[in-house]
Amino acid sequence: MMDTTEMIDPVTGEIIDEQQLAEQLLKQAKEQGVDLVGPDGLLNGLTKRVLETALEAEMTEHLGHEKHQQAESGNIRNGSRSKTVLTEVGPVEIDVPRDRAGSFEPKIVKKRQRRLTGVDEIVLSLTARGLTTGEVAAHFDDVYGASVSKDTISRITDRVIEEMTEWQNRPLDRVYPVVFIDALVVKVRDGQVRNKPFYIAVGVTVNGERDILGIWAGDGGEGAKFWLGVLTEIKNRGAEDICIVVCDGLKGLPESINTAWPLATVQTCIIHLIRNTFRFASRHYWEEMGKDLRPVYTAPTEAAARERFEEFDAKWGGQYPAISKLWQNAWSEFVPFLDWDVEIRRIICSTNAIESLNARYRRAVRARGHFPNDAAALKCLYLVTRSLDPTGRGRARWATRWKPALNAFAIAFEGRIN
């Protein structure tokens, strides 16, 4: 099958060597002393010619005859009008052909269109990286010498709201071997700037692919109660069964999970548990304490883990009783981890699957400082989501990394995965 991105010479019918063409153009630009970019640059001139050629082809199709040919209808070409459009190489002035009847509706650059779609994608990409509307406007001014107002940038990003709504309500897979859930704190102005939780759920499909199930703005109420609504929504969108839900140690969360999926195993995130342990201890002891904890969460059985924890508690419990209480309260959600095959342990040991995602989210929201409302924050988080893994290579790496674990899941949850 021919690569659809290949260019064909319309005269010879041969495939154009794009590398050779690029080298030829660069050589010509150097010989003529023409800059590659800029208002009078090579790329600007090429973009102008390509757009104008495409518009002329559209006009020919519209009228049914070439330039200077006899018109079968009464409609003919009627000169052109100049128009400046913002493109990925900067502002380009083009001549748009007109017809006498005024019925020509160009598609490549529509009437009243002042930007090519690639420019909108640049705006969305920059916004996803945390730039404010003012910073995006300054970027276009600095890089392209083009004036794009903050209102225009806001209108561009607002176009993804409908897309976001469809994404948030799309049907989900029937079963997920693992779902990671977590909350991200975002500063939102609600009368006054305050920290607000935004809830995120990431599933792993039976094919080993990451599926971000949704993002929800918290209502400020009890976290476990809100999670029940989120998990119920996920179930209603088609997720009938989830084998393991990995989460932090939020009180009441296991009950919310098992209300939605009675057969789901609730697994406390081991990394969260260790981090919370360190919160109660002096930094001076973290390294030593980490070494003493490792035999607990790498133990082959629950009985062995209990023995190792008693040794840990005998050493540290007197100095840090809060750590003992933390592990005792989390024990029932911690021990399922010890029953799994080593491949499953490696995968669910932490919420790294969601931590890397949260790092991208945090980078974007940190750059913004705070948001005027929940909708603005959700829009920013969704823009980050849609910008993830543009090449698809990340998805392929995920699937490869998950294959050994999925085989172990198929055995451990026979009849539920397949």
Side-chain angles (χ1 to χ4, degrees), residues 283-295:
R283 182 182 291 271
H284 176 73
Y285 297 116
W286 284 6
E287 184 176 355
E288 184 181 357
M289 191 175 285
K291 290 178 180 178
D292 292 340
L293 270 177
R294 183 173 176 78

Side-chain angles (χ1 to χ4, degrees), residues 44 85-92 144 146:
N44 191 290
V85 292
L86 182 59
T87 74
E88 294 93 322
V89 298
V92 175
Y144 301 107

Side-chain angles (χ1 to χ4, degrees), residues 129-205:
R129 283 159 175 76
L131 272 68
T132 64
T133 54
E135 289 168 337
V136 174
H139 171 83
F140 275 93
D141 188 29
D142 292 342
V143 177
Y144 301 107
S147 176
V148 182
S149 71
K150 291 191 287 186
D151 287 343
T152 298
I153 293 167
S154 291
R155 285 195 296 272
I156 292 172
T157 56
D158 281 344
R159 290 178 185 172
V160 304
I161 292 176
E162 183 178 349
E163 175 188 316
M164 177 178 70
T165 302
E166 292 179 2
W167 172 80
Q168 186 77 15
N169 293 286
R170 74 196 187 283
L172 300 177
D173 290 357
R174 188 189 67 80
V175 59
Y176 289 90
V178 186
V179 168
F180 301 87
I181 62 176
D182 201 4
L184 175 74
V185 175
V186 179
K187 293 184 182 297
V188 177
R189 180 178 291 280
D190 184 10
Q192 61 180 8
V193 177
R194 63 188 181 95
N195 290 331
K196 192 165 188 179
F198 282 71
Y199 298 89
I200 302 161
V202 179
V204 178
T205 71

Side-chain angles (χ1 to χ4, degrees), residues 99-138:
D99 62 331
R100 181 166 291 178
S103 57
F104 178 48
E105 295 284 346
K107 297 181 179 62
I108 187 71
V109 182
K110 297 180 175 62
K111 286 184 177 179
R112 293 175 290 280
Q113 182 180 353
R114 294 293 177 182
R115 302 181 312 275
L116 297 190
T117 53
V119 173
D120 288 7
E121 289 301 321
I122 292 173
V123 170
L124 295 176
S125 176
L126 293 173
T127 306
R129 283 159 175 76
L131 272 68
T132 64
T133 54
E135 289 168 337
V136 174

